[in-house]
Amino acid sequence: MSLNFAYHALSASSLDSPLTASADEKEEEYTECKHCAVHNRTRRYHWVAHVVNSTIIIVLSILLIRSYDGALIAARCWDMHNYYSPVNEALATQPYITVRFNGSLWYESPFKGPPTPDVEEAWHSVMKYGMIAVSASDYEKVNHSTRTAVQFPKEAGGGYMVTTVGTHQLHCLHFLWQDHHRAYFPDVMRKVEDVPELYERHFEHCVDYIRQSIMCKFDTGLVTYDWVLQHQNPTPNSNAMHKCVDWDAAQEWLRDRAVEIPDGFEWRQPEGQESLPWNP
C-alpha cells in the first residue's frame, strides 16, 4: 500500500509560532539587557566609590591615631622628666629647639654690664610675667596647701599667687649681677647699709638656689677646648650646642595668666586666714 503526502504552502499566520520572536519582542529584550548592563555598571561604580571612601577613612583614622599617640608620648615623656606645673601644657608637646650658646668672653650680650637703662630693661623683660594666678587644684598638685595660700584680690581676678621657678632663678641671677655693680644701684646700696644681715642671706640664698637648679637640670652638653693663637694653654670653647624649651611658647602662656595689681592696692592678710608657723 502506498502512502500519499500532500504538501501545502504555509500561511502567513503559521509563521507566528512561539519559537520565533517578533521584531518588537527583540527590541524589548534588547532594551531590558541594556538597562541591566547600565544597572550593573552603576553597582560596580557604587562599590568602587565605597571601597575608596572606606580606604580614605581608614588611612585618615590611622594618621589621626598616630598623631594622637605622638602627642601623648611627648606629654608622657615631658611628665617623666618634669614635676607637675600648669605651664607644662604649653611645652609638653612642643619640640625642643636646638640652640648654640654664645659663651665668648667678648660677646656683647644685652644682659651684660656696665649697667645702663637698656641692660636693666633686658633683665626685666625676661621676668615681666613673674606673678601669675593658678587654680586651687594647681596649687595643691605642687604639694602645697591652700590653707595658708595668698590669693589675688577680686579686683585683680582672684586666683592663687605663684611664680615659676625659672623666673625666680632669673631674679636671683639678676640680683647677683646687681650686687656686682652695686655702686650703680642706690636701692642695692641702701639695703646693704640698712639690712646687711638680710641682704647677705638673700645673696647666699640666690647663689645656692642657682647651684641647686644647675645640679637638678644638669646640662650634659660638651664644652670643648682649642689651641688659640698666642695662647700657651688650652682655651675653653663655651659655644656649645643645647636643646632648649620653646621660650616664646612658655612666655606666651605666662603672659596670658600674668596678674597686675591695681594701683594703690595694699596687701593685708584676710581675717581668719591661716598662716605658716615658720618662714619658708
Side-chain angles (χ1 to χ4, degrees), residues 56-279:
I56 293 174
I57 291 172
I58 292 171
V59 171
L60 290 177
S61 299
I62 292 174
L63 291 175
L64 181 62
I65 292 171
R66 292 187 64 181
S67 174
Y68 174 77
D69 286 347
L72 186 62
I73 291 171
R76 286 178 176 175
C77 183
W78 179 273
D79 290 340
M80 184 185 300
H81 297 284
N82 295 274
Y83 197 73
Y84 173 79
S85 168
V87 191
N88 290 353
E89 69 182 50
L91 299 174
T93 58
Q94 292 288 336
Y96 270 57
I97 299 172
T98 302
V99 178
R100 183 186 294 278
F101 282 14
N102 193 327
S104 171
L105 294 177
W106 292 269
Y107 168 47
E108 296 296 334
S109 168
F111 299 92
K112 287 183 177 180
T116 64
D118 287 342
V119 177
E120 272 290 270
E121 174 58 30
W123 277 103
H124 288 296
S125 71
V126 297
M127 300 182 288
K128 60 183 177 181
Y129 306 128
M131 296 299 177
I132 62 173
V134 299
S135 66
S137 174
D138 288 329
Y139 205 91
E140 291 169 347
K141 284 180 181 178
V142 295
N143 204 25
H144 285 275
S145 171
T146 56
R147 290 187 300 106
T148 59
V150 175
Q151 285 185 273
F152 286 109
K154 291 182 179 179
E155 53 266 40
Y160 290 88
M161 177 185 287
V162 299
T163 189
T164 60
V165 172
T167 302
H168 184 64
Q169 292 166 346
L170 288 168
H171 154 77
C172 272
L173 198 57
H174 178 241
F175 178 84
L176 299 182
W177 178 81
Q178 282 189 319
D179 181 80
H180 180 62
H181 301 283
R182 62 168 65 176
Y184 180 85
F185 300 101
D187 287 346
V188 173
M189 292 299 297
R190 180 180 55 79
K191 292 176 183 177
V192 171
E193 295 171 359
D194 294 350
V195 286
E197 182 180 355
L198 183 60
Y199 184 88
E200 184 65 17
R201 284 188 177 275
H202 191 183
F203 185 93
E204 295 295 341
H205 151 78
C206 278
V207 171
D208 198 54
Y209 201 80
I210 295 173
R211 187 271 308 168
Q212 292 178 69
S213 300
I214 293 173
M215 291 178 66
C216 176
K217 298 292 186 181
F218 185 72
D219 194 328
T220 58
L222 301 180
V223 174
T224 57
Y225 284 78
D226 297 292
W227 292 110
V228 179
L229 187 64
Q230 297 181 347
H231 284 232
Q232 298 305 312
N233 293 308
T235 301
N237 185 341
S238 300
N239 303 311
M241 302 300 296
H242 302 264
K243 287 286 189 177
C244 304
V245 299
D246 190 327
W247 171 262
D248 292 335
Q251 292 302 293
E252 183 177 348
W253 191 95
L254 294 174
R255 182 195 63 204
D256 293 340
R257 291 156 183 80
V259 176
E260 292 186 12
I261 301 299
D263 291 339
F265 177 81
E266 294 183 6
W267 285 104
R268 288 188 179 88
Q269 184 170 338
E271 190 173 336
Q273 172 70 53
E274 294 187 48
S275 301
L276 284 175
W278 49 280
N279 194 346

